[in-house]
Amino acid sequence: WPDVVAGTLTIQSFDSDSFSFSGCATVGTAAEHCINTYNVVAGVRTLVNSLGAVKAYGNCCNNVINQVVATRKNCQAATTTTSTHTPTMTSTLSMTSTLTTTP
């Protein structure tokens, strides 16, 4: 039966951005941890934004599936860099990790 673990993650992005888990990474600290500690050669799941940029990592790429179930945006005041005003936005993601096992 499925075991579900929920969590939240806050990341910086831009207004109207969206997020999903897509693919796996085999390089980097999180991937090396999955490969070396758990022998999961596929590495770690990647959380990407609407532009395809990797924003964070999920669980190891095994039978645990990550899913973004909700997002909440938190706009902050615009910051000034040179003569450009750049709004900063963070998104708080609600995620689940589901492990499916045979009863």
Side-chain angles (χ1 to χ4, degrees):
W1 299 97
D3 292 320
V4 177
V5 177
T8 59
L9 175 67
T10 301
I11 58 176
Q12 188 170 1
S13 194
F14 57 89
D15 194 17
S16 76
D17 203 0
S18 60
F19 308 91
S20 63
F21 284 94
S22 178
C24 299
T26 57
V27 294
T29 305
E32 290 171 10
H33 180 73
C34 289
I35 294 166
N36 297 329
T37 304
Y38 299 108
N39 199 31
V40 178
V41 296
V44 66
R45 296 196 190 286
T46 54
L47 176 71
V48 298
N49 70 356
S50 60
L51 300 177
V54 175
K55 301 301 279 184
Y57 298 97
N59 292 336
C60 296
C61 289
N62 53 18
N63 60 338
V64 177
I65 304 299
N66 293 124
Q67 180 179 15
V68 176
V69 293
T71 60
R72 182 180 71 235
K73 107 176 142 172
N74 306 304
C75 293
Q76 299 172 345
T79 56
T80 304
T81 56
T82 318
S83 61
T84 306
H85 295 282
T86 306
T88 302
M89 197 263 307
T90 59
S91 292
T92 301
L93 309 178
S94 298
M95 305 178 304
T96 61
S97 299
T98 306
L99 171 62
T100 304
T101 57
T102 305

